[in-house]
Amino acid sequence: MGVGVLQQYREYLPITDSTPMLSLGEGDTPLVRSNRLGPELGCGELYFKLEGCNPTGSFKDRGMVVAIAKALEEHSVGIMCASTGNTSASAAAYGAYCKLPAMVLIPKGEVALGKLAQAMAYGAKIIMVDGNFDVALKLVRDFTSRHRITLVNSVNPHRLQGQKTAAFEVSDVLGDAPDYLFIPVGNAGNITAYWRGFKEYYQAELTTLLPHMMGFQAAGAAPIVLGHPIKNPQTIASAIRIGNPASWQSALEARDESGGVIDSVTDDEILDAYRRLASTEGVFGEPASAASVAGLIKLVGQGLNLSDQRVVCIITGSGLKDPDLAVSSSLGQTIEVEPTLEALEAVALTAAL
Ligand code: F0G
């Protein structure tokens, strides 16, 4: 482990002798056992897969490394993506690493500050679009169909190939696939990729079961749940503010083949899960990531019994991606003191007791 996903899962990826085996250290992320939420919800075993520990702080790096390696192999001259933020950060980083110019289209004013900061730091050309993610993705598809620039959104099949490696890791660490996998759904690539990964390991007889795939959209951006595209999706979880997911059909297949669900959670449920995860588990995921945990809390509340089940929630991105929301939604207080021991004792001893 620790060698990057191309090396680690070479035999499951579209790698040839001329594929550059690059890595920024993606993959091999922690699977952490829940200390409090699992027992509180009556789960047999609950784990969080910390995808925020990838080099740019989200799961996107797993797919990006494959997409970029293939782009280099095919002598691409540049890459382009539309993004709610994380894909752009990842494309910008791998582009910088490989000297491949990156252009990222983002919905104007709707990308979390940390993600924007990353794309800027890595030196991507940032193109703000006066429209939402769906509009930006359509533009990127039109542009890359006319020009020799590689599209690195998850409609590029190499992206999902790389992202499926997270399902391999979960299975490798647990010794088998889990019974349930809870995951946020935006453009629906990741749920598709996990399902593919679990099926491949099962077919290779490395696991003995297939998980129920439990996908969650934000209620204001839940086209799959509603059964029709949404023109103006709205949610506090900006990463999954998507009204017309590219991998819609394959997400339905993952749901139906696995005996799972695709459901929605409200912004209040997302925020509650976001705070609980950080303040009771020490796991700081971004709001979109908390949708998986919000979904788990919701379904257990509706009577889903997980008492002898192994459950994994995917925490898709780091909480540091969206510092504005972290501060504005925090229930914690900051206290000011004079710089004296007496003043410190006055506040610290009462807090500790
Ligand atoms: N969680 C995070 C943190 C994300 O950034 C995304 C998608 C998702 C979940 C949903 O994954 O789209 O495969 O269903 N972010 C994309 C982006 C859209 O542009 O960064 P999905």
Side-chain angles (χ1 to χ4, degrees):
M1 288 289 184
V3 295
V5 302
L6 293 177
Q7 194 69 49
Q8 184 67 34
Y9 293 108
R10 184 187 181 113
E11 62 204 285
Y12 296 93
L13 295 173
I15 288 172
T16 69
D17 288 345
S18 44
T19 311
M21 299 298 281
L22 57 108
S23 175
L24 277 176
E26 64 292 323
D28 195 17
T29 58
L31 189 69
V32 175
R33 179 104 187 232
S34 163
N35 238 349
R36 295 204 2 218
L37 202 55
E40 278 167 28
L41 296 174
C43 288
E45 292 173 35
L46 174 63
Y47 298 88
F48 304 113
K49 175 81 167 153
L50 305 189
E51 288 291 279
C53 294
N54 277 298
T56 75
S58 86
F59 68 93
K60 305 287 180 179
D61 298 336
R62 293 177 183 278
M64 198 57 69
V65 72
V66 182
I68 299 293
K70 296 305 282 185
L72 289 174
E73 185 178 340
E74 288 150 18
H75 307 293
S76 169
V77 295
I79 55 174
M80 184 185 272
C81 66
S83 182
T84 55
N86 281 324
T87 300
S88 61
S90 187
Y94 284 84
Y97 181 69
C98 298
K99 295 204 184 83
L100 207 48
M103 289 179 275
V104 302
L105 275 70
I106 57 176
K108 193 171 129 201
E110 292 193 25
V111 165
L113 188 62
K115 304 174 188 182
L116 189 59
Q118 287 179 291
M120 295 177 94
Y122 294 128
K125 179 172 276 188
I126 301 168
I127 302 166
M128 307 264 192
V129 178
D130 193 6
N132 62 29
F133 170 84
D134 304 291
V135 171
L137 180 57
K138 173 152 192 328
L139 270 176
V140 169
R141 291 176 101 150
D142 289 349
F143 180 90
T144 53
S145 70
R146 283 175 178 74
H147 303 280
R148 277 190 56 242
I149 298 285
T150 306
L151 177 158
V152 294
N153 279 103
S154 59
V155 291
N156 174 331
H158 301 309
R159 280 276 315 276
L160 299 192
Q161 290 287 338
Q163 284 175 213
K164 76 185 176 188
T165 60
F168 298 162
E169 284 177 18
V170 168
S171 304
D172 286 339
V173 170
L174 292 179
D176 205 340
D179 298 293
Y180 284 84
L181 190 100
F182 285 76
I183 185 167
V185 174
N187 213 22
N190 212 27
I191 190 170
T192 303
Y194 269 88
W195 181 235
R196 188 177 298 169
F198 284 121
K199 283 201 297 191
E200 284 184 18
Y201 252 31
Y202 183 77
Q203 277 148 15
E205 297 184 3
L206 292 167
T207 50
T208 67
L209 52 96
L210 286 165
H212 300 285
M213 301 296 291
M214 315 296 275
F216 289 87
Q217 302 197 292
I224 300 180
V225 181
L226 296 173
H228 57 79
I230 297 184
K231 224 176 165 60
N232 190 16
Q234 292 300 335
T235 168
I236 199 162
S238 58
I240 52 172
R241 197 181 287 155
I242 293 176
N244 192 11
S247 298
W248 189 320
Q249 194 51 42
S250 50
L252 292 180
E253 283 161 23
R255 177 194 69 185
D256 296 341
E257 288 172 24
S258 74
V261 303
I262 296 183
D263 197 352
S264 63
V265 281
T266 65
D267 278 5
D268 282 348
E269 288 169 325
I270 290 173
L271 272 180
D272 177 58
Y274 169 77
R275 293 193 191 106
R276 254 172 107 170
L277 195 57
S279 64
T280 72
E281 299 278 2
V283 171
F284 186 27
E286 67 171 283
S289 307
S292 62
V293 179
L296 171 67
I297 296 170
K298 175 179 173 178
L299 293 202
V300 168
Q302 290 176 348
L304 179 66
N305 182 352
L306 298 170
S307 58
D308 48 10
Q309 305 290 312
R310 257 177 166 181
V311 180
V312 173
C313 286
I314 308 302
I315 309 302
T316 46
S318 163
L320 288 172
K321 295 274 192 175
D322 197 343
D324 295 319
L325 185 79
V327 172
S328 66
S329 69
S330 170
L331 302 177
Q333 306 169 335
T334 55
I335 307 168
E336 275 184 39
V337 292
E338 295 295 320
T340 65
L341 181 60
E342 294 73 30
L344 175 60
E345 282 177 342
V347 295
L349 292 176
T350 36
L353 295 176

PDB file of all heavy atoms in Angstrom, residues 59-60 82-88 115 133 163 184-191 239-240 242 286 288-289 316-317, ligand 1:
ATOM      1  N   PHE A  59     -12.028  12.114  -3.043  1.00  0.00           N
ATOM      2  CA  PHE A  59     -11.905  10.848  -3.783  1.00  0.00           C
ATOM      3  C   PHE A  59     -11.557  11.040  -5.249  1.00  0.00           C
ATOM      4  O   PHE A  59     -11.190  10.080  -5.937  1.00  0.00           O
ATOM      5  CB  PHE A  59     -13.215  10.056  -3.682  1.00  0.00           C
ATOM      6  CG  PHE A  59     -14.379  10.678  -4.417  1.00  0.00           C
ATOM      7  CD1 PHE A  59     -14.674  10.311  -5.720  1.00  0.00           C
ATOM      8  CD2 PHE A  59     -15.187  11.627  -3.814  1.00  0.00           C
ATOM      9  CE1 PHE A  59     -15.747  10.874  -6.414  1.00  0.00           C
ATOM     10  CE2 PHE A  59     -16.253  12.203  -4.492  1.00  0.00           C
ATOM     11  CZ  PHE A  59     -16.530  11.831  -5.793  1.00  0.00           C
ATOM     12  N   LYS A  60     -11.683  12.264  -5.744  1.00  0.00           N
ATOM     13  CA  LYS A  60     -11.484  12.499  -7.176  1.00  0.00           C
ATOM     14  C   LYS A  60     -10.095  12.080  -7.643  1.00  0.00           C
ATOM     15  O   LYS A  60      -9.919  11.736  -8.811  1.00  0.00           O
ATOM     16  CB  LYS A  60     -11.700  13.969  -7.506  1.00  0.00           C
ATOM     17  CG  LYS A  60     -13.030  14.524  -7.069  1.00  0.00           C
ATOM     18  CD  LYS A  60     -14.175  14.028  -7.915  1.00  0.00           C
ATOM     19  CE  LYS A  60     -15.490  14.617  -7.429  1.00  0.00           C
ATOM     20  NZ  LYS A  60     -16.620  14.188  -8.241  1.00  0.00           N
ATOM     21  N   ALA A  82     -15.603  20.364 -15.981  1.00  0.00           N
ATOM     22  CA  ALA A  82     -16.549  21.218 -15.259  1.00  0.00           C
ATOM     23  C   ALA A  82     -16.567  20.695 -13.839  1.00  0.00           C
ATOM     24  O   ALA A  82     -16.349  19.502 -13.624  1.00  0.00           O
ATOM     25  CB  ALA A  82     -17.938  21.084 -15.858  1.00  0.00           C
ATOM     26  N   SER A  83     -16.810  21.556 -12.873  1.00  0.00           N
ATOM     27  CA  SER A  83     -16.721  21.044 -11.508  1.00  0.00           C
ATOM     28  C   SER A  83     -17.459  21.882 -10.495  1.00  0.00           C
ATOM     29  O   SER A  83     -17.539  23.104 -10.613  1.00  0.00           O
ATOM     30  CB  SER A  83     -15.244  20.953 -11.112  1.00  0.00           C
ATOM     31  OG  SER A  83     -15.116  20.426  -9.817  1.00  0.00           O
ATOM     32  N   THR A  84     -17.977  21.186  -9.473  1.00  0.00           N
ATOM     33  CA  THR A  84     -18.482  21.892  -8.299  1.00  0.00           C
ATOM     34  C   THR A  84     -17.316  22.161  -7.337  1.00  0.00           C
ATOM     35  O   THR A  84     -17.523  22.630  -6.229  1.00  0.00           O
ATOM     36  CB  THR A  84     -19.573  21.067  -7.598  1.00  0.00           C
ATOM     37  OG1 THR A  84     -19.043  19.763  -7.298  1.00  0.00           O
ATOM     38  CG2 THR A  84     -20.812  20.922  -8.460  1.00  0.00           C
ATOM     39  N   GLY A  85     -16.100  21.813  -7.729  1.00  0.00           N
ATOM     40  CA  GLY A  85     -14.914  22.203  -6.962  1.00  0.00           C
ATOM     41  C   GLY A  85     -13.864  21.135  -6.796  1.00  0.00           C
ATOM     42  O   GLY A  85     -12.678  21.372  -7.028  1.00  0.00           O
ATOM     43  N   ASN A  86     -14.268  19.934  -6.402  1.00  0.00           N
ATOM     44  CA  ASN A  86     -13.252  18.914  -6.113  1.00  0.00           C
ATOM     45  C   ASN A  86     -12.585  18.365  -7.368  1.00  0.00           C
ATOM     46  O   ASN A  86     -11.371  18.143  -7.373  1.00  0.00           O
ATOM     47  CB  ASN A  86     -13.875  17.776  -5.307  1.00  0.00           C
ATOM     48  CG  ASN A  86     -14.009  18.155  -3.851  1.00  0.00           C
ATOM     49  OD1 ASN A  86     -13.148  18.842  -3.313  1.00  0.00           O
ATOM     50  ND2 ASN A  86     -15.085  17.731  -3.211  1.00  0.00           N
ATOM     51  N   THR A  87     -13.357  18.141  -8.406  1.00  0.00           N
ATOM     52  CA  THR A  87     -12.746  17.655  -9.648  1.00  0.00           C
ATOM     53  C   THR A  87     -11.758  18.690 -10.168  1.00  0.00           C
ATOM     54  O   THR A  87     -10.680  18.339 -10.665  1.00  0.00           O
ATOM     55  CB  THR A  87     -13.837  17.371 -10.709  1.00  0.00           C
ATOM     56  OG1 THR A  87     -14.715  16.383 -10.175  1.00  0.00           O
ATOM     57  CG2 THR A  87     -13.240  16.855 -12.003  1.00  0.00           C
ATOM     58  N   SER A  88     -12.110  19.954 -10.040  1.00  0.00           N
ATOM     59  CA  SER A  88     -11.206  20.993 -10.547  1.00  0.00           C
ATOM     60  C   SER A  88      -9.908  21.022  -9.732  1.00  0.00           C
ATOM     61  O   SER A  88      -8.822  21.181 -10.302  1.00  0.00           O
ATOM     62  CB  SER A  88     -11.885  22.359 -10.560  1.00  0.00           C
ATOM     63  OG  SER A  88     -12.269  22.763  -9.277  1.00  0.00           O
ATOM     64  N   LYS A 115     -11.683  24.825  -2.290  1.00  0.00           N
ATOM     65  CA  LYS A 115     -11.529  24.187  -3.611  1.00  0.00           C
ATOM     66  C   LYS A 115     -11.032  25.198  -4.637  1.00  0.00           C
ATOM     67  O   LYS A 115     -10.163  24.895  -5.460  1.00  0.00           O
ATOM     68  CB  LYS A 115     -12.866  23.589  -4.050  1.00  0.00           C
ATOM     69  CG  LYS A 115     -13.440  22.613  -3.034  1.00  0.00           C
ATOM     70  CD  LYS A 115     -14.827  22.130  -3.416  1.00  0.00           C
ATOM     71  CE  LYS A 115     -15.425  21.323  -2.286  1.00  0.00           C
ATOM     72  NZ  LYS A 115     -16.736  20.778  -2.602  1.00  0.00           N
ATOM     73  N   PHE A 133     -23.547  23.707 -12.535  1.00  0.00           N
ATOM     74  CA  PHE A 133     -22.646  22.627 -12.961  1.00  0.00           C
ATOM     75  C   PHE A 133     -23.115  21.964 -14.247  1.00  0.00           C
ATOM     76  O   PHE A 133     -22.316  21.676 -15.147  1.00  0.00           O
ATOM     77  CB  PHE A 133     -22.543  21.576 -11.841  1.00  0.00           C
ATOM     78  CG  PHE A 133     -21.831  20.325 -12.277  1.00  0.00           C
ATOM     79  CD1 PHE A 133     -20.441  20.249 -12.249  1.00  0.00           C
ATOM     80  CD2 PHE A 133     -22.539  19.213 -12.731  1.00  0.00           C
ATOM     81  CE1 PHE A 133     -19.775  19.103 -12.669  1.00  0.00           C
ATOM     82  CE2 PHE A 133     -21.884  18.069 -13.159  1.00  0.00           C
ATOM     83  CZ  PHE A 133     -20.500  18.015 -13.124  1.00  0.00           C
ATOM     84  N   GLN A 163     -11.770   5.241  -9.691  1.00  0.00           N
ATOM     85  CA  GLN A 163     -12.570   5.402  -8.472  1.00  0.00           C
ATOM     86  C   GLN A 163     -13.052   4.071  -7.896  1.00  0.00           C
ATOM     87  O   GLN A 163     -13.280   3.964  -6.693  1.00  0.00           O
ATOM     88  CB  GLN A 163     -13.756   6.336  -8.753  1.00  0.00           C
ATOM     89  CG  GLN A 163     -13.312   7.794  -8.823  1.00  0.00           C
ATOM     90  CD  GLN A 163     -14.400   8.769  -9.224  1.00  0.00           C
ATOM     91  OE1 GLN A 163     -14.124   9.768  -9.876  1.00  0.00           O
ATOM     92  NE2 GLN A 163     -15.642   8.502  -8.853  1.00  0.00           N
ATOM     93  N   PRO A 184     -22.774   9.616  -0.835  1.00  0.00           N
ATOM     94  CA  PRO A 184     -23.479  10.749  -1.444  1.00  0.00           C
ATOM     95  C   PRO A 184     -23.534  10.608  -2.966  1.00  0.00           C
ATOM     96  O   PRO A 184     -22.638  10.011  -3.563  1.00  0.00           O
ATOM     97  CB  PRO A 184     -22.634  11.971  -1.058  1.00  0.00           C
ATOM     98  CG  PRO A 184     -21.332  11.453  -0.589  1.00  0.00           C
ATOM     99  CD  PRO A 184     -21.461  10.003  -0.279  1.00  0.00           C
ATOM    100  N   VAL A 185     -24.571  11.165  -3.564  1.00  0.00           N
ATOM    101  CA  VAL A 185     -24.726  11.096  -5.028  1.00  0.00           C
ATOM    102  C   VAL A 185     -24.894  12.507  -5.598  1.00  0.00           C
ATOM    103  O   VAL A 185     -25.760  13.258  -5.160  1.00  0.00           O
ATOM    104  CB  VAL A 185     -25.949  10.234  -5.399  1.00  0.00           C
ATOM    105  CG1 VAL A 185     -26.202  10.275  -6.912  1.00  0.00           C
ATOM    106  CG2 VAL A 185     -25.754   8.792  -4.942  1.00  0.00           C
ATOM    107  N   GLY A 186     -24.033  12.838  -6.560  1.00  0.00           N
ATOM    108  CA  GLY A 186     -24.134  14.120  -7.262  1.00  0.00           C
ATOM    109  C   GLY A 186     -24.294  13.859  -8.745  1.00  0.00           C
ATOM    110  O   GLY A 186     -25.386  13.694  -9.259  1.00  0.00           O
ATOM    111  N   ASN A 187     -23.144  13.761  -9.418  1.00  0.00           N
ATOM    112  CA  ASN A 187     -23.179  13.423 -10.845  1.00  0.00           C
ATOM    113  C   ASN A 187     -23.325  11.911 -11.035  1.00  0.00           C
ATOM    114  O   ASN A 187     -23.394  11.422 -12.152  1.00  0.00           O
ATOM    115  CB  ASN A 187     -21.899  13.944 -11.507  1.00  0.00           C
ATOM    116  CG  ASN A 187     -22.116  14.381 -12.934  1.00  0.00           C
ATOM    117  OD1 ASN A 187     -23.229  14.697 -13.340  1.00  0.00           O
ATOM    118  ND2 ASN A 187     -21.055  14.388 -13.710  1.00  0.00           N
ATOM    119  N   ALA A 188     -23.300  11.176  -9.935  1.00  0.00           N
ATOM    120  CA  ALA A 188     -23.586   9.731  -9.860  1.00  0.00           C
ATOM    121  C   ALA A 188     -22.476   8.831 -10.395  1.00  0.00           C
ATOM    122  O   ALA A 188     -22.673   7.632 -10.573  1.00  0.00           O
ATOM    123  CB  ALA A 188     -24.918   9.400 -10.519  1.00  0.00           C
ATOM    124  N   GLY A 189     -21.290   9.401 -10.594  1.00  0.00           N
ATOM    125  CA  GLY A 189     -20.159   8.588 -11.035  1.00  0.00           C
ATOM    126  C   GLY A 189     -19.629   7.691  -9.927  1.00  0.00           C
ATOM    127  O   GLY A 189     -19.292   6.523 -10.169  1.00  0.00           O
ATOM    128  N   ASN A 190     -19.560   8.221  -8.724  1.00  0.00           N
ATOM    129  CA  ASN A 190     -18.889   7.466  -7.663  1.00  0.00           C
ATOM    130  C   ASN A 190     -19.677   6.231  -7.244  1.00  0.00           C
ATOM    131  O   ASN A 190     -19.105   5.165  -7.048  1.00  0.00           O
ATOM    132  CB  ASN A 190     -18.627   8.381  -6.459  1.00  0.00           C
ATOM    133  CG  ASN A 190     -17.366   8.001  -5.711  1.00  0.00           C
ATOM    134  OD1 ASN A 190     -16.431   7.424  -6.295  1.00  0.00           O
ATOM    135  ND2 ASN A 190     -17.325   8.302  -4.425  1.00  0.00           N
ATOM    136  N   ILE A 191     -20.985   6.344  -7.142  1.00  0.00           N
ATOM    137  CA  ILE A 191     -21.791   5.162  -6.775  1.00  0.00           C
ATOM    138  C   ILE A 191     -21.654   4.102  -7.878  1.00  0.00           C
ATOM    139  O   ILE A 191     -21.559   2.903  -7.598  1.00  0.00           O
ATOM    140  CB  ILE A 191     -23.270   5.548  -6.508  1.00  0.00           C
ATOM    141  CG1 ILE A 191     -24.024   4.363  -5.894  1.00  0.00           C
ATOM    142  CG2 ILE A 191     -23.982   6.061  -7.765  1.00  0.00           C
ATOM    143  CD1 ILE A 191     -25.420   4.713  -5.382  1.00  0.00           C
ATOM    144  N   ALA A 239     -21.039  20.617  -3.393  1.00  0.00           N
ATOM    145  CA  ALA A 239     -20.395  19.582  -4.223  1.00  0.00           C
ATOM    146  C   ALA A 239     -21.418  18.748  -4.979  1.00  0.00           C
ATOM    147  O   ALA A 239     -21.135  18.243  -6.064  1.00  0.00           O
ATOM    148  CB  ALA A 239     -19.527  18.674  -3.353  1.00  0.00           C
ATOM    149  N   ILE A 240     -22.603  18.592  -4.412  1.00  0.00           N
ATOM    150  CA  ILE A 240     -23.615  17.738  -5.055  1.00  0.00           C
ATOM    151  C   ILE A 240     -24.833  18.562  -5.516  1.00  0.00           C
ATOM    152  O   ILE A 240     -25.936  18.049  -5.616  1.00  0.00           O
ATOM    153  CB  ILE A 240     -24.042  16.552  -4.141  1.00  0.00           C
ATOM    154  CG1 ILE A 240     -24.463  17.019  -2.743  1.00  0.00           C
ATOM    155  CG2 ILE A 240     -22.902  15.541  -4.035  1.00  0.00           C
ATOM    156  CD1 ILE A 240     -25.070  15.903  -1.876  1.00  0.00           C
ATOM    157  N   ILE A 242     -26.351  19.366  -8.228  1.00  0.00           N
ATOM    158  CA  ILE A 242     -26.363  18.896  -9.616  1.00  0.00           C
ATOM    159  C   ILE A 242     -27.787  18.467  -9.972  1.00  0.00           C
ATOM    160  O   ILE A 242     -28.423  17.729  -9.215  1.00  0.00           O
ATOM    161  CB  ILE A 242     -25.366  17.717  -9.778  1.00  0.00           C
ATOM    162  CG1 ILE A 242     -23.933  18.247  -9.580  1.00  0.00           C
ATOM    163  CG2 ILE A 242     -25.518  17.043 -11.153  1.00  0.00           C
ATOM    164  CD1 ILE A 242     -22.851  17.194  -9.610  1.00  0.00           C
ATOM    165  N   GLU A 286     -16.711  17.168   4.380  1.00  0.00           N
ATOM    166  CA  GLU A 286     -17.421  18.328   3.860  1.00  0.00           C
ATOM    167  C   GLU A 286     -18.926  18.039   3.858  1.00  0.00           C
ATOM    168  O   GLU A 286     -19.336  16.876   4.008  1.00  0.00           O
ATOM    169  CB  GLU A 286     -16.880  18.741   2.499  1.00  0.00           C
ATOM    170  CG  GLU A 286     -17.103  17.789   1.359  1.00  0.00           C
ATOM    171  CD  GLU A 286     -16.706  18.431   0.023  1.00  0.00           C
ATOM    172  OE1 GLU A 286     -17.497  19.251  -0.454  1.00  0.00           O
ATOM    173  OE2 GLU A 286     -15.625  18.118  -0.511  1.00  0.00           O
ATOM    174  N   ALA A 288     -21.265  17.729   1.630  1.00  0.00           N
ATOM    175  CA  ALA A 288     -21.750  16.680   0.712  1.00  0.00           C
ATOM    176  C   ALA A 288     -21.433  15.297   1.262  1.00  0.00           C
ATOM    177  O   ALA A 288     -22.233  14.367   1.138  1.00  0.00           O
ATOM    178  CB  ALA A 288     -21.115  16.852  -0.668  1.00  0.00           C
ATOM    179  N   SER A 289     -20.273  15.156   1.868  1.00  0.00           N
ATOM    180  CA  SER A 289     -19.870  13.862   2.426  1.00  0.00           C
ATOM    181  C   SER A 289     -20.810  13.435   3.545  1.00  0.00           C
ATOM    182  O   SER A 289     -21.085  12.245   3.717  1.00  0.00           O
ATOM    183  CB  SER A 289     -18.449  13.949   2.987  1.00  0.00           C
ATOM    184  OG  SER A 289     -17.554  14.452   2.031  1.00  0.00           O
ATOM    185  N   THR A 316     -16.519  11.534   1.450  1.00  0.00           N
ATOM    186  CA  THR A 316     -15.906  11.752   0.137  1.00  0.00           C
ATOM    187  C   THR A 316     -14.879  12.885   0.074  1.00  0.00           C
ATOM    188  O   THR A 316     -14.012  12.880  -0.800  1.00  0.00           O
ATOM    189  CB  THR A 316     -17.018  12.032  -0.890  1.00  0.00           C
ATOM    190  OG1 THR A 316     -17.923  12.989  -0.317  1.00  0.00           O
ATOM    191  CG2 THR A 316     -17.781  10.775  -1.251  1.00  0.00           C
ATOM    192  N   GLY A 317     -14.996  13.867   0.962  1.00  0.00           N
ATOM    193  CA  GLY A 317     -14.070  15.008   0.895  1.00  0.00           C
ATOM    194  C   GLY A 317     -13.850  15.631   2.266  1.00  0.00           C
ATOM    195  O   GLY A 317     -14.665  15.478   3.178  1.00  0.00           O
TER     196      GLY A 317
HETATM  197  N1  F0G B   1     -18.846  14.168  -2.496  1.00  0.00           N
HETATM  198  C1  F0G B   1     -18.011  15.138  -2.883  1.00  0.00           C
HETATM  199  C2  F0G B   1     -17.123  15.745  -1.860  1.00  0.00           C
HETATM  200  C3  F0G B   1     -17.972  15.553  -4.231  1.00  0.00           C
HETATM  201  O1  F0G B   1     -17.123  16.503  -4.612  1.00  0.00           O
HETATM  202  C4  F0G B   1     -18.842  14.941  -5.167  1.00  0.00           C
HETATM  203  C5  F0G B   1     -18.844  15.340  -6.563  1.00  0.00           C
HETATM  204  C6  F0G B   1     -19.691  13.928  -4.691  1.00  0.00           C
HETATM  205  C7  F0G B   1     -19.670  13.572  -3.359  1.00  0.00           C
HETATM  206  C8  F0G B   1     -20.633  13.211  -5.585  1.00  0.00           C
HETATM  207  O2  F0G B   1     -19.960  12.287  -6.401  1.00  0.00           O
HETATM  208  O3  F0G B   1     -20.651  13.210  -8.580  1.00  0.00           O
HETATM  209  O4  F0G B   1     -19.619  10.964  -8.407  1.00  0.00           O
HETATM  210  O5  F0G B   1     -21.930  11.361  -7.562  1.00  0.00           O
HETATM  211  N2  F0G B   1     -18.167  16.316  -7.017  1.00  0.00           N
HETATM  212  C9  F0G B   1     -18.028  16.663  -8.453  1.00  0.00           C
HETATM  213  C10 F0G B   1     -17.011  17.768  -8.632  1.00  0.00           C
HETATM  214  C11 F0G B   1     -19.301  16.861  -9.147  1.00  0.00           C
HETATM  215  O6  F0G B   1     -17.102  18.530  -9.635  1.00  0.00           O
HETATM  216  O7  F0G B   1     -16.093  17.884  -7.842  1.00  0.00           O
HETATM  217  P1  F0G B   1     -20.574  11.919  -7.819  1.00  0.00           P
END
